[in-house]
Every structure is written in structure tokens, then in C-alpha cells.
Amino acid sequence: MAAFSFSRIGRSMRGILLPTAAVIGFSCLLTYFFVLYQPTVGPGIAQRLGWQAWDAVATVDYFDKEPSTPTVTGDPADGQPIPVNDDETDWWETTNNQPWDTTDDIESYPLDVWAPLLPHDTGLSEIAITRCMMSPSLVGNLCAPTTTVEQDAIKGNWVRVDRDLNKQAGLWNLNIYYRRTRRLDIPLITDLRLLPANEIPEPLSDSWVKVDLSIRDGVMRAEPMYLWYLQGKTMNEMNADEKSSLITEVDILFGEDRPWYGFEKIEPAVTPEKEGQLESVYVTYRRGVQSVPHAHPLHFSRDGKFKILQVADLHFSVSRGICRETDIDPCVNSDNLTNTLLGHVMDEEKPDLVVFSGDQLNGQGTSWDPKSVLAKFAVAATDRKIPWAAIFGNHDEENGDVKQEQVRMMNALPYSLVQRGPKDIHGVGNYVLDVKSADASKTSLLTLYFLDSGSYSSGYLDWLGYFFPTEYDWIHEDQINWFLQESSKIQAIQRPFTPDTGKDFGSIWNRQADQITPTTHKLAKPNAMMFFHIPLQESYGTADRDPRTGQLLDIGLHDLEGSGAAKKSDGMFDKGLKKALESGHVASGGIPEVKVVANGHCHITEDCKRVNDIWLCFGGGGSYSGYGQIGFDRRFRIYEISDYGETIRTYKRTEKDEILNSYTLAGPGAPLFNPRS
């Protein structure tokens, strides 16, 4: 009886286990083929032929190139650049300062890769929306619309807009796909509409096409909304104006702020804003080629002046922002309020350069789509056609895209001077800019160093997988060596500089030369400034004393919060800043090349302190979106450089237009340097 029972139990277990094993095995096989398996491509993939042109299609990273070397028309006989039409045109008006090589052939841009930063002039032929139960980052184009080889050859391959419409809410991933074509005989899309299920475009024509799937598919309790597109003429039939109105790109914007440069919103929002719960989602599009305006090379005015506005710690989010520690009441939409204030400061100060000194993004879970945030952070500068540079802070990379991708985005914004910098050292955004004279000699009169001080050096993960930092990062030894190498490349000039009065603008230069006080000349590197986010430990050290008065050289507030410096250091101050001298001559007195270090990070610390002849200055918090203190007005630091780079003066402008702590840091009227033994 026992044997009979065991036999029956064995057959029962076999009947259960065998089908279960078969199901599991078959599931693993499907997972391998459709998710994990990636077919090995041959060497020809690097030069695959376009399906509508005999050009090699390459995914060149056009926005990761360093700016091309500035050139102007010159005489090849002597190798010296000369201004074009020097009676009417300044040299910087004829100088190329593009972030990518303008010789790039727009016809070679990839058609089957979504690259919204590239200035495509190629039209779209078809649009679709698809749902996918798994992220495209895992399954690629498994959920792409159906197609045939013939359709691909005629209309173009399907291209996924790599932005999930249901990123915040929805049961599955939802993506827009489009086809892009260079063919001249295919009708191209000239308009887009978003309409409820019971509406149709007016006036309705046979050329309007409705996308089958609702653009709100998968969102619970949301009324269906459908995307319509208008197929217009073929490229052969269009005139120049019609070609400039083609829809050439599609993107997604999160939040209620302005879309990316050159793009327009389609109203209404795909997902309406629910304050404190959901940010709005918009489909955006670009018409034609929207050329990005580029900054002219940095240069002094003809009377030897150059002004820098430092903008510290914006802390912008995908939302319109939440006000922090301010006596403004009511205070809403802090990001927009900050941009309004910033625009006012720029109108009053009229800077030649704006430096965003880190923490443009708030991180902390609120800047989860960096592109939507980067679209708005510099608008006060770009609307006024002011060149700008930026460095990264500790919060910029906390959510979403990494720094390398953010640099690519910033390079695609108007008037950007941001550079990726070398890839073989710590950080992203270690680079150098120089400010030249306005005369034909184009002499470098001011050097600006930008470094990435990193984010966090250590931290821990909680049980939900969230990272909690415990220590800040610091400037590493390879960055110090890079700085010293770059410093060694700077050519010494005769200082104080006197503009060349013999080649152009003679009467103007003569008048300015009359105003320059005669002084002793020296051969030395031009003055330099350095920008990075997290301060050095020396910023909290003992200040020098003014040899004239005996007073400590510490101007401004510094005791409202604790130290924001990293606990560790590779010695940037002693091994870098103090080693880089403006002259190697014994009689030079060991004066440092870098006169001022400008930091952010600490919002209610805003002093300038001189330590061993180097000024260490904080920008102070200027944003209503970053932390502050009631009674401590938002403020921005300005650096006014004059006398062709010899004199550096700084002050702060508050939200109430008060000018605080104006002080000369270098040049005539500044405290003397410490004597060297």
C-alpha cells in the first residue's frame, strides 16, 4: 500500500514539474531572443549606406567637439591675421567661434537616429505612437511600428523620439515614432494638431492623417487625445518659404516653462499639470533649420573694460519652482521669479559674460528631466544675447542625464561658451577661456579657468536604493596638473597693456591712451580668475592683513553657515594656485597668476577673503529656489575688470538693487602683495 502511494505521488509530481519546467524554459528562450540577444554586426556597420542617399550615415557627436580655432581673414605672407574691412568691422565680428565645425555637411546627418540637437533640414513623412510594456532602453525598437523594406526605402526608417510620454504616470511606456526622408517625391509634414476624440482639424482635408493610438494611452481616467499631422507638398513642389516651414523635429517637454530653443509647444498639454503631483507634458516641434546664435570671442571694450556676472546656485526644477526662505509674500513659481530678477540685474549691469557657477539643477528628485530644466536656466542671458559659461555643482548630476550629455545640450543653446574639456582627467567641464584686447593685436588680457569640483566622494544607499551623500568631492591631482599645464601655455605680455594705436581706430586709442597713468612696465602673464563650485578648505582659513591698515582682508558675510568645503584635498591651493605665478623672474616677487577664485555652493556665505595673496570669493545665493535665510536678500556678485585687465574690482547687487562691499582686489588701489623672501 505504501509503494502504491509513493508511485502515485511520483506521477503527480512529474505531471506538475515537467510542464512547469517547459514553461520556464520557453520563457527564458523568448527572453534571450527578444531582450538579451544582440546579433553580432559586421565591420560594415561603421559605414552603413543610407537608404535614400549614397552617403555614409554616421552618428557623429557634433556637439562634443571643442570650439574651432578662431580665424579671420589674414595675409598668408606674414601669417598675421588682419581685420576684414577694418574701417567698419571689428575683428570679433569676423571670427568663427562655433561649437562645431561649420564645414559639416548637413546632408550627412543621420536620418535614422533621433538627434534633436542637430539642425536637420530634412522633413518628416509619417508619425506613429506605440505602447511598450518594457522600456525601450531594454528592448530597443521591439515595439516600433510595423514596416516593410519597401516602406523604409520610400518613407525612411522609423525613428523613436526617445522620451516616454508616460514617464510620470501610465501603465506602460508610450513613445512617438516618425519617419524622415530625403526623397523629393514624398509628401512631407507641415503641421501638427492635438485634438480630443470627437474633434477633427479645421478645415479638414484629405491630407490630414490621424495617428491611430491616443497620445494619452495608458493614463488612467484621462480623456483620449489624438495627434493629427498634415501631409503637404513634396520637396520638389515647395518653394523656399514652404521648405523653411517644414516640421523637421519632434521632442517632448516636461513642465510649464518654455521649450528648447527653436521649438514650439503644441497646445493643449498631453498631460495637464497637477500641482504637487504631476508636471505637464507637451509635444514640441521645430520648423525648418533654427540656427543657434553663437557668441563672439570674448574681448575687452575699446576703453579696456570687461564685466563678469556670477550667477550661483539657481537650483531649478522641472516644475516652476518652490520658494525657499524669503520674505516675499506671496512667493510662487520661484524659477520664473528668479529669471525675472536675473534679467533685471543683467539690464542694470550689462555684463560682457555671465558665469553660472554650479547647481543650475536642483537635483534631489526635482530635476528628473535635465533637458527641460536646461531649456530655461540661461534664458535671461540668451534673450539678451550675452555670452555665458557654466560649471557643474554637486546637485547637477543627481537626477537624469550625466554631465557629458548636459554639456552637449548646453552647447546647443544660444551664446554658450561651455566646453567638455579633456576626457582623461577627473570631472567634466575643465576648460579655459581668454579675453582679448579690442585692437588688431588681439592680445590676451585676462585668463578664465573653469574646473569641475565634483559632486560627492562617499555616501550610502538606503533600503529603497536611494543614495545619501556623506562627503563632498574635491579637485583632484590630475586636474591640478592640467591647470599647471594650461597655465604654462599662457604667454607673457607687457603690462600694463597699451592698445595698438598704429593700425586702426587711431583717434579713439589715442584718446584712451592719454587717460592711462604712466607706470612701470613688466613682462608677465595677464591676470587670471578661476571658477569652480565647491570651495577650498583655505576659504575658511585665516585672512591676510592689509599692509596699509593692518585690517583683515575679509569683506562680506561668512558666519551665517558652516563650512561647505570638502573634508579631503589633493592640495589645489598649495600645489596649484600658489605654484602658478604670473612671472618666473626672480624679481617678480612670486605674485600668483590667479588673483581671484570664485565659488558658489554656500548660499548665505558671500565674502571675499584674501589668503596668501589669492582672493577666495563666494557668489552668494541669487535664486528663490535655493535655500536662503529670512532677511538675507538674494544677491549676485559682479567682477568689473578695467585698465585692460590690470584692475579687478568686485561688488554685489541685491534683489533690492543695493550695491554691497565694492572693493578693489587687484591693480591700482588694491592691497599690496605679501613680501616674498
Side-chain angles (χ1 to χ4, degrees), residues 542-557:
T542 303
D544 294 345
R545 290 189 178 273
D546 189 335
R548 302 167 298 186
T549 64
Q551 297 294 316
L552 289 174
L553 294 174
D554 191 355
I555 297 94
L557 297 173

Side-chain angles (χ1 to χ4, degrees), residues 474-489:
W474 63 91
I475 294 175
H476 292 259
E477 185 175 2
D478 55 2
Q479 293 174 283
I480 299 172
N481 294 335
W482 169 83
F483 159 63
L484 293 174
Q485 183 180 25
E486 292 298 315
S487 174
S488 69
K489 299 176 185 177

